[in-house]
Structure formats: structure tokens, C-alpha cells
Amino acid sequence: MVYYKIRGGRKLYGEVKISGAKNAAASILPGLLLINGICRICNVPQIEDVHLTIEILESLGAKVRWLSSDCIEADCREIGSRTVLPHLGVRMRASHFFIGTLLGRFGEANAPLPGGCVIGMRPIDQHLKGFDAMGADYAVDGEMVRVSVKNGQRLKGAEICFDMVTVGATMNLMLAAALADGVTVLKNAASEPHIVDLAGFLNAMGADVSGAGTDEIIIKGVPSLHGGSYSLIPDQIEAGTFMAAVAAAGGRIRLSGIIPAHLKCISAPLRQMGMEITEGEDSLMVSRPGELSGIDIVTRPYPGFPTDMQPQMGAVACFARGKSTIVETIWEDRLRYTSELRRMGADITVHERTAIFHGVPHLIGASVEALDLRAGAALVIAALAADGVTQISNIGFIERGYHDLTGKLAALGAEISREAEERDTEEDH
Ligand code: EPZ
């Protein structure tokens, strides 16, 4: 078993370069399938989800190669398959973006249903509602969802109003609509930075997308998309995770390669708690001048406080003076990480979607388990500030979304390492 070993109590100092956005790569890399040409995408994070996405692209017939540590070249002119292989697709929630792209380009798509996970059911009813509105038929048989346009026609532009703000369905319908016949209007659309990034990528390749970043996005279908170059935005949540790490452990760090405007929803509560945050053009200076005070947070779609930063702020709240409350409005089961923090001595009570924290002087290092990606990040943050040594297992979740988290934190002065437990071998018995 591989695990993180962290000795807490070290303040963080120095500079960290933030990688490209995981949740922008999640839709833009599958979006390469729409393009009858060769594309170069840069600022691509070297994370497990990206490696798996590339594996799925190649299984469909794409030719993909890394040009450098963060740039890939993809040639999707020869795509033979319309089916995402189940053993690949089930390993990543975001494989449903291949449905929108295969359907948009070829009129047919088959992919495994994104299974539920520890934070919630992850349904795709809004995606399917959109495809239906655009003239596609769909069927769910067991673990696969099969979508196709009647007798080989192209998708038709439609007006679609989502029942709730959904990042995934907004992006999937943008992808499907890019090559559709006519105009598609998405109402009650999500407006996260990665939605704007997807629109930027599509338009760079010849699409006609407007309104991204608002709650109404208009996509005018074009006959085809050409190759070109594009660079992903920096990861808002990775940046926020490092901001939360300084809030818990103390110190002063500079985040570089970021877009400060994307971080305002995270900076605001941290400043309210007592953090000092100054903005540069593409950087932030973040420091903790003294003890933090408690905070009340409610997660909301962008530009509200992001649900993907909720566990990390929970870890910070464990140390903040007085009471903090966190209400999770997006996912039905995203407070499970609090049970692992309680094993470290945190004072937290959870009722339905509300967690109440009372700050304690110290957490104590313990053996804990990452229950999902951001829950794992929260445990890293708590361990950096805890007394003694913490071991975090199930780090595969963490490495799905963070590139070289241990290396970046160690460079800031944290005592953190990636260890492998000696497995008992047969001859030992
Ligand atoms: C994306 O998930 C992100 N993942 C999530 O980040 C993030 O938490 C979420 O958006 C919200 O910002 C990627 O981008 C790969 P949604 P997604 O569709 O698209 C309900 C992380 O930690 N819903 O915006 O799956 C759904 O149940 C991950 O990086 C339906 O009911 O989220 C949820 O309550 C975790 N039917 C709400 O909408 C649907 O068809 C928001 O979901 C779709 C969604």
C-alpha cells in the first residue's frame, strides 16, 4: 500500500507554480474528438484523470503524444470507434464527456454510466434531456448508455433549460452542439471558469460559442472544426488548496501562474478569517499573520464558494478560533471527510448537509483514509498543522486531481513523503 507520511508543525514558505485545471482538461481533452485536424494543448496537468482520458482517446483511434511536460499533440482525424470501453470509462466520472463529442461528430456514442461515488449519485439525466432535445435517442442497458441520432442525421440545435445548475451537462451540451445543425441555447447554464475555458477552446478551433460565463450560452453549429493550439486555464481548486494549507499550517507563500479573478470566491472567506492575501497580475501572496477566526460557508455554483474547496475549508475550520459552519448544497454526501478529521481530534458535528466546527488548539497525527479526491486534500491540510505524524492511505484519489502534491508541499518546507508499505511476501511465511 502506498501512503503519504506527514509530520506536522512546519510553516510553509516559498513559491508554488499552479498546474493546469483538472476540470478544464476533463471536457477539453474529450473535445479533441470533435476536431478533424491536429491540435496542440498546453498547461495540461500530469494527473491520473488526464492520463486515463488520453488512454480513452487512443482507444477510440486518436493519436496523442506529449510534446513536453505539459503540452500534448492530438490527431483525431481517424476515429474508428464510437464506444468508450467500459473498463476504461468506469474509472473516471468525467468519461461522459465522450458522449457529447462522439455524438456531436459522428451521430452515435456509447459509454459506461458514471457510477455514483462517495460524494453523491452523479446522475446524467440533464445530459440525456439535452441530447433528446437535439433529436437523439438514448437507451440505458445495464452499465452502458447508448445515444444516437435517428437514421444517421446530425444533431439539431435546440433550446435547453437545465433543471439545476450543472457543470457537466453544460459542458457536454456545448460539446454536442458545436457541430449541430442550427443554434443551441443553454439556459440556467453553469458559469465556472472551466466553462469559459471550454468555450475558448472550441472557438479557437472554429466553433461559434457565445455567452460562456453567464447563465445563457448560445452555440451556433458549424460544419466542422479545424486544428490549432490552446492553453488550459490554471487550476482554481489546486490554488485554493494551497491557500488553505497556509491558513492551517501558517507561513507565507506565493502562488504563481494563476488567474486572481478565479480565486475571489476563495480569497473572500479566507480574508474574513484573518488571512492576508494580495493579488499580482498572475500571482497571489498568501500569509497567516495570526490566529484565524471561525467562518460560515455555504457552497454554491460559481461565482459562489466552490463545493470542490469545501473539505479543504473544513480542515482549516478545525483550527479557527470559535465556531464555524459549512453547508454543502451541491452534493448530498460530501461531509464524510469530517469523520477522518475527528480521528485527529477535531470537534465537528454533522447534521444532514451542515457541519459545525469548534476550533481546537491542536489536532493529533493519526492514520487516516482519503475517502475521495478533495477529502484527501483536506486530510493533507490537517496533517500539515497537526502535532506528530499522520499517515494518509488511499492516496490514489488525491493523485487523480493533484500533480506532485508531495513535491510541491515539500518545496514549501513541509515534511511530507510518499511511502510504500512493505508488503508481506509469500516467503515471509
Ligand atoms: C463537476 O462535476 C466537477 N467535476 C466536480 O468536481 C464539481 O464538484 C461539480 O462539477 C460542481 O462544480 C468535473 O468537472 C470533472 P454537476 P459534475 O453536473 O459535472 C446534479 C472535483 O472534486 N445533477 O455540476 O458531475 C448533481 O447530482 C469534482 O474536482 C443532476 O441531478 O457536477 C449535483 O447535485 C467533484 N443531474 C449537481 O447537479 C445531472 O444530469 C451539480 O452537478 C447532472 C447533475
Side-chain angles (χ1 to χ4, degrees), residues 22-24 26-27 49 92-94 96-97 117 119-128 162 164-171 190 192 194 237 300-302 306-309 329-332 334 353 372-374 400-401:
K22 159 185 161 316
N23 291 346
S27 62
D49 271 9
M92 184 175 66
R93 215 77 45 221
H96 51 256
F97 292 125
C117 63
I119 65 172
M121 284 306 294
R122 313 303 293 268
I124 61 166
D125 57 292
Q126 300 295 303
H127 303 236
L128 298 174
F162 296 118
M164 78 291 293
V165 176
T166 152
V167 169
T170 299
M171 293 201 277
E192 273 70 4
H194 30 292
I237 304 302
R300 295 282 183 218
Y302 194 80
T307 174
D308 294 347
M309 272 298 300
T329 67
I330 308 293
W331 297 108
E332 62 267 32
R334 199 173 204 170
R353 292 193 180 201
D372 66 72
L373 165 57
R374 307 303 176 181
R400 276 190 45 214

Side-chain angles (χ1 to χ4, degrees), residues 210-262:
S210 56
T214 75
D215 65 355
E216 183 165 308
I217 300 175
I218 299 167
I219 304 105
K220 293 176 184 159
V222 295
S224 68
L225 296 179
H226 54 69
S229 296
Y230 192 74
S231 193
L232 303 183
I233 56 170
D235 196 309
Q236 165 202 42
I237 304 302
E238 184 194 18
T241 301
F242 279 96
M243 294 164 75
V246 178
R252 174 184 167 84
I253 68 169
R254 183 173 186 272
L255 306 182
S256 62
I258 55 112
I259 299 174
H262 294 170

